Amino acid sequence: MPRRGRKRKKTRTHVVETDDRIRGALLSQDELKIPRSLVIRRGKVESELVELVGDLRKLLRPYTAVNFKEDATNRKITLTHYANSLTSTMGITHILALSQNGPKVNLRLARTPAGPTLTFRVKRFTLGRHLRAVQRRPIDSARAFESPPVVVTNNFGDATAAPHVKLMRISFQNIFPAINVTTVKLNECRRVVLFNFIRRDLARKQNDNNNNPDQNQHEHDSEDEEVEIRHYAIRAKPVGVDRKVRRLIEAKIPNLSKLQDISDYITGKTADGAPAPTVNSGALSDSEAEDEAAHVVLPDKYRGKGNHRSQKSALKLVELGPRMGLKLVKVERGMASGDVMYHAYVHKTPQEIKELKERKEGEVQLKKRRREEQEANVERKRAEKEEKKARREARKKQREEEAMARLRGEAVAAQHHGEADDGDEETDSESVADGDTSESESGGDSDDE
C-alpha cells in the first residue's frame, strides 16, 4: 500500500545553549578566580603547633584543604614541590607553612607558583580552645564556616605606606575571596578576620625606659612593626524590647513555677501589686550591648531568633581564635627563593645590593652554563653508547652471517660429497653387474660346447 500524505516536517530542534549551561559556565569561571589555600607544617614541631595548623585551616575555610595530610618529616618535600604538585591539580593559590627551630616559630606565606614569599616570626599565639575555655558563652557553629569571612585590614596606611607594608596588606587580602557588596547575602557574613598593623616608636620607648628603669618592657613590645590577627564570629541580638520578652523570643523559657501568670514575669509584680517572686532564667545577666554604635537596622533576615528584616539588633563579636602576633622578617621575590626584597634586620647599601645582585646573576649564569655542559656531556655519552651498541650489534650480525655462511658451505660440501659417494656406488654396481653378465655368457658358451 503506498504511503499517503506528505513527509512530516521536523519542528523540534537541538538546543545548543541554555540558560542553565550559560549560568554554569559563568559560575565555573567565577570559581576559578576564588583563591584556595593550603596550611602545612614542616619539620618536627610541638603538639601546640599541630593544633595551630588546625585552627588556621578553620580560619581559612571553606576554600582550604581541611583534611590534608602532609609528610612533615620529609625534608625533600619543599614549598616549590608543593606548589608544582598542587597548583594545577587542586588549584592551590597560597601556601602557609609553619616550622619550628627550637623556641622560634616561623610562618611562611607564599603565592603559588612563582611567589612572592613572606617570612614571619610568630611572636606569640593563642589557640582557639584556650579562648573558648575563658568565655562564658562560646560560639561553636559549624554553619558559620560554610561561607568565607569578612576581611578587615586596619592601620596599614594608604598609598604612601612602605612597600613591604602594602605587600603585607595585599597578601592578607588575597588569601580570602573578594566580597561583592551588591550580591552578597547578609546571612553569609558570619565571621570577621582582623589584621591589625601596629607601629611602635622604639626610640621614644627607650627614652621612657631610661627615665623609668623600674618599668619592665614586655617582650612583644621590642619590635617596631607587628601584625595582630584576630578571628571573630558575629552574634546579633534584637534590641528595643524588654530583656525578658527578648528571652521569650529567643526560646529561652525561664522557670515560671513560682508565678501565677506570665504577666507577673513580664511586669515583675503580681495581680495584687506585690513584688513577684524572683525567677532564675539562667541568662538574664547577659544584657544587650550598651554601645549605641553597635545597634543596626537589619536590611535582611539574619541568623538568630528575632533578627528579622528592618529589625533593630545589637551586633557583638565573639572571638573564635586563633590569636597570633606576627613580625615580618623577610620578603623573597620567588617561591622561597630569589632576590630578597626586604629584610627586617639586615640592611644593605645600594652598592652592596648591586654587588649582591651581580653575584647572584653570575651564579645563575654559571649554573646555567654548567647545566648546559652537563647536558652536552650526557648527550655525548648517550651518542657514544648508542654508537658502541650499534657497532656491537653489527659485529654480532656479522658473526651470525659468517656462521650461517659456514653452515651453508658445510652443507653444500656435504651434499657434493654425498653425491660423489652415490656416483661411486652406482659405478661399482654397474661394474659388478657387467661382470656377472660376462660370466653368465661365458658359462652358456661352455655348455653349448
Side-chain angles (χ1 to χ4, degrees), residues 267-285:
T267 60
K269 296 181 180 180
T270 60
D272 301 336
T278 304
V279 175
N280 184 15
S281 63
L284 286 180
S285 60

Side-chain angles (χ1 to χ4, degrees), residues 301-443:
K301 187 180 184 304
Y302 195 70
R303 174 187 171 274
K305 298 293 184 64
N307 296 319
H308 300 288
R309 185 175 183 178
S310 302
Q311 171 68 37
K312 191 175 183 180
S313 298
L315 300 182
K316 183 179 180 182
L317 298 179
V318 181
E319 191 167 2
L320 298 175
R323 180 187 296 181
M324 301 178 65
L326 306 178
K327 164 65 179 177
L328 180 64
V329 177
K330 183 172 61 174
V331 178
E332 297 170 288
R333 189 179 300 275
M335 174 60 67
S337 61
D339 300 339
V340 178
M341 303 168 59
Y342 169 81
H343 203 288
Y345 305 114
V346 179
H347 303 284
K348 296 183 180 296
T349 61
Q351 182 65 25
E352 293 176 343
I353 294 174
K354 182 179 179 181
E355 293 177 355
L356 180 61
K357 187 175 182 180
E358 291 177 354
R359 182 166 61 86
K360 288 291 184 181
E361 292 177 353
E363 292 177 355
V364 171
Q365 295 295 331
L366 179 61
K367 185 176 180 180
K368 183 179 179 181
R369 186 170 64 254
R370 287 180 177 177
R371 184 174 294 277
E372 291 176 354
E373 292 177 357
Q374 184 180 9
E375 292 177 354
N377 293 334
V378 171
E379 183 66 23
R380 178 178 54 81
K381 292 180 180 179
R382 187 187 64 81
E384 292 177 355
K385 185 176 180 180
E386 293 292 336
E387 185 179 355
K388 184 177 179 181
K389 184 178 179 181
R391 290 197 304 266
R392 187 169 59 249
E393 291 179 354
R395 289 196 301 268
K396 182 178 179 181
K397 186 176 181 181
Q398 184 180 1
R399 288 195 300 268
E400 291 177 354
E401 291 177 353
E402 292 176 355
M404 292 298 295
R406 286 196 303 269
L407 291 176
R408 292 192 192 98
E410 292 177 358
V412 171
Q415 184 178 2
H416 290 321
H417 183 68
E419 291 177 354
D421 292 342
D422 293 341
D424 294 341
E425 290 178 359
E426 290 177 358
T427 305
D428 294 341
S429 61
E430 289 177 358
S431 61
V432 171
D434 293 340
D436 293 341
T437 305
S438 60
E439 288 179 359
S440 61
E441 290 179 355
S442 62

Side-chain angles (χ1 to χ4, degrees), residues 35 59-61 94 148-149 151 171-178 193 195:
L59 183 145
L60 296 172
R61 285 182 63 184
H94 294 81
V151 181
S171 300
F172 289 142
Q173 289 176 342
N174 290 342
I175 299 177
F176 303 90
V193 176
F195 296 95

Side-chain angles (χ1 to χ4, degrees), residues 215-277:
Q215 185 178 1
N216 295 328
Q217 183 179 6
H218 296 286
E219 181 183 358
H220 62 268
D221 291 340
S222 61
E223 301 292 348
D224 57 342
E225 294 179 350
E226 203 170 307
V227 178
E228 289 186 348
I229 300 178
R230 299 288 188 271
H231 183 206
Y232 300 98
I234 303 176
R235 176 184 287 173
K237 290 183 176 294
V239 296
V241 295
D242 189 83
R243 285 180 295 175
K244 299 179 181 180
V245 178
R246 190 178 73 243
R247 294 298 171 187
L248 296 178
I249 295 175
E250 295 175 353
K252 298 179 180 179
I253 306 300
N255 185 7
L256 304 178
S257 60
K258 297 181 181 180
L259 303 178
Q260 299 295 328
D261 191 80
I262 193 173
S263 60
D264 299 344
Y265 168 72
I266 300 296
T267 60
K269 296 181 180 180
T270 60
D272 301 336

